[in-house]
């Protein structure tokens, strides 16, 4: 199992930038940058990520021996570990679901977002940076926080430790058995599977039914004419 090395900062611009710089400095995998606050937190699609007090902001450095085409699978591994962590902390009257590609929802409200960035060496992955923001103590409007649902309040650090234990197990499973069982686990807790969605791509918006995942984690969308469109990256809206 990977040995984690958590480095805790009061304030950084973005834990992603910090971890990326360390990746370029040849730091070994297992480094975790944790910050109490970020002044320039980054979300997906060029969005920002606000630092609400008491929430978790971290970036995890991995160096898997994979090709660039497999990198996307890691956002599913990350979400599975997050789903397992949350499901152990809160009682089963609440539903923890994975939203493609890598959000986690509780009772259909976002509790965490993941930003995966890769450093590539031609066709191979040199490093992966898994950025994760989890609403622990506070949530923006219409989102949800962990501590609103847990019997005992978590801190960012206690949550991170529980999460890293789960992530270590998921990564070991992936190394031993590959992606297909984990992909099934992700689908068992998928938000909006078999429902109509809209996928906004750079030059078009497609409508169809979310049918499942390809082996690399891409979304299978069944269009009205019956064709299957494979979507690797898009902003997705569930109806
Ligand atoms: C999303 O858009 O849902 C992804 C949000 C990812 C935010 C986290 S917070 C820690 C890490 N550092 C960043 O600047 N972003 C990620």
């Amino acid at each position: 199992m990977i040995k984690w090395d958590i480095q805790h900062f009061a304030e950084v611009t973005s834990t992603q930038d910090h971890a990326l710089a360390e990746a370029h400095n040849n730091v070994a995998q297992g480094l975790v940058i944790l910050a109490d606050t970020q002044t320039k937190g980054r979300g997906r699609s060029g969005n920002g990520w606000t630092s609400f007090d008491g929430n978790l902001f971290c970036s995890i450095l991995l160096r898997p021996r994979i090709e660039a085409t497999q990198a996307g699978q890691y956002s599913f591994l990350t979400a599975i570990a997050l789903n397992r962590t949350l499901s152990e902390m809160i009682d089963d009257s609440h539903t923890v679901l994975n939203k493609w590609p890598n959000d986690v929802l509780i009772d259909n409200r976002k509790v965490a977002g993941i930003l995966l960035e890769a450093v590539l060496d031609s066709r191979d992955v040199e490093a992966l940076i898994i950025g994760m923001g989890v609403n622990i103590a506070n949530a923006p409007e219409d989102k949800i926080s962990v501590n609103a649902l847990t019997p005992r309040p978590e801190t960012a650090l206690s949550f991170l430790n529980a999460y890293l234990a789960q992530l270590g197990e998921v990564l070991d499973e992936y190394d031993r058995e590959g992606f297909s069982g984990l992909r099934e686990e992700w689908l068992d807790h998928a938000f909006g599977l078999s429902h109509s969605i809209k996928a906004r791509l750079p030059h078009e918006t497609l409508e169809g039914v979310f049918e499942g995942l390809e082996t690399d984690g891409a979304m299978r969308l069944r269009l009205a004419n019956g064709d299957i469109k494979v979507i690797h990256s898009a902003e997705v809206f569930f109806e």
Side-chain angles (χ1 to χ4, degrees):
M1 186 159 316
I2 296 184
K3 207 167 155 299
W4 303 111
D5 170 21
I6 301 176
Q7 296 191 5
H8 193 166
F9 297 85
E11 183 179 295
V12 295
T13 49
S14 156
T15 56
Q16 282 303 94
D17 296 342
H18 210 305
L20 271 169
E22 296 293 30
H24 288 296
N25 286 337
N26 290 324
V27 169
Q29 73 167 350
L31 175 73
V32 182
I33 304 294
L34 167 68
D36 296 335
T37 189
Q38 304 185 109
T39 53
K40 283 192 187 148
R42 294 193 270 119
R44 285 198 308 275
S45 317
N47 295 324
W49 189 263
T50 308
S51 285
F52 290 93
D53 273 353
N55 287 353
L56 172 61
F57 314 103
C58 69
S59 297
I60 299 164
L61 169 60
L62 297 178
R63 293 193 182 277
R65 293 212 179 85
I66 55 168
E67 293 194 356
T69 50
Q70 280 171 275
Q73 293 178 347
Y74 275 72
S75 51
F76 297 89
L77 307 186
T78 318
I80 290 167
L82 200 44
N83 194 313
R84 289 185 190 177
T85 309
L86 290 163
S87 300
E88 284 206 342
M89 276 175 192
I90 63 174
D91 72 61
D92 7 308
S93 61
H94 300 285
T95 336
V96 186
L97 293 179
N98 308 316
K99 182 178 169 204
W100 190 89
N102 46 16
D103 285 342
V104 178
L105 313 179
I106 301 179
D107 299 341
N108 295 348
R109 292 195 279 162
K110 181 162 169 169
V111 67
I114 295 161
L115 177 67
L116 189 81
E117 294 180 318
V119 180
L120 301 179
D121 174 12
S122 157
R123 281 172 30 199
D124 294 326
V125 168
E126 202 174 277
L128 279 183
I129 311 291
I130 298 167
M132 197 170 70
V134 186
N135 302 329
I136 303 285
N138 285 294
E141 209 174 344
D142 76 12
K143 311 283 194 294
I144 199 162
S145 71
V146 174
N147 285 349
L149 307 172
T150 46
R152 278 176 298 108
E154 296 290 333
T155 63
L157 185 59
S158 67
F159 187 94
L160 177 61
N161 278 316
Y163 174 75
L164 291 174
Q166 295 286 356
L167 182 63
E169 280 183 22
V170 171
L171 293 174
D172 283 355
E173 273 172 59
Y174 179 77
D175 288 344
R176 265 193 332 263
E177 293 156 29
F179 186 52
S180 79
L182 290 161
R183 187 182 63 163
E184 290 310 311
E185 177 174 341
W186 189 94
L187 283 167
D188 283 345
H189 305 277
F191 175 73
L193 192 65
S194 310
H195 289 144
S196 291
I197 64 146
K198 279 192 185 141
R200 193 190 294 154
L201 304 166
H203 302 293
E204 58 180 341
T205 297
L206 297 173
E207 286 190 50
V209 173
F210 174 21
E211 277 224 334
L213 299 178
E214 293 283 295
T215 49
D216 62 357
M219 175 186 265
R220 286 168 61 82
L221 189 68
R222 183 174 291 282
L223 305 180
N225 66 5
D227 287 354
I228 294 284
K229 185 95 182 173
V230 174
I231 297 179
H232 290 271
S233 170
E235 219 177 325
V236 171
F237 302 90
F238 292 79
E239 287 164 1

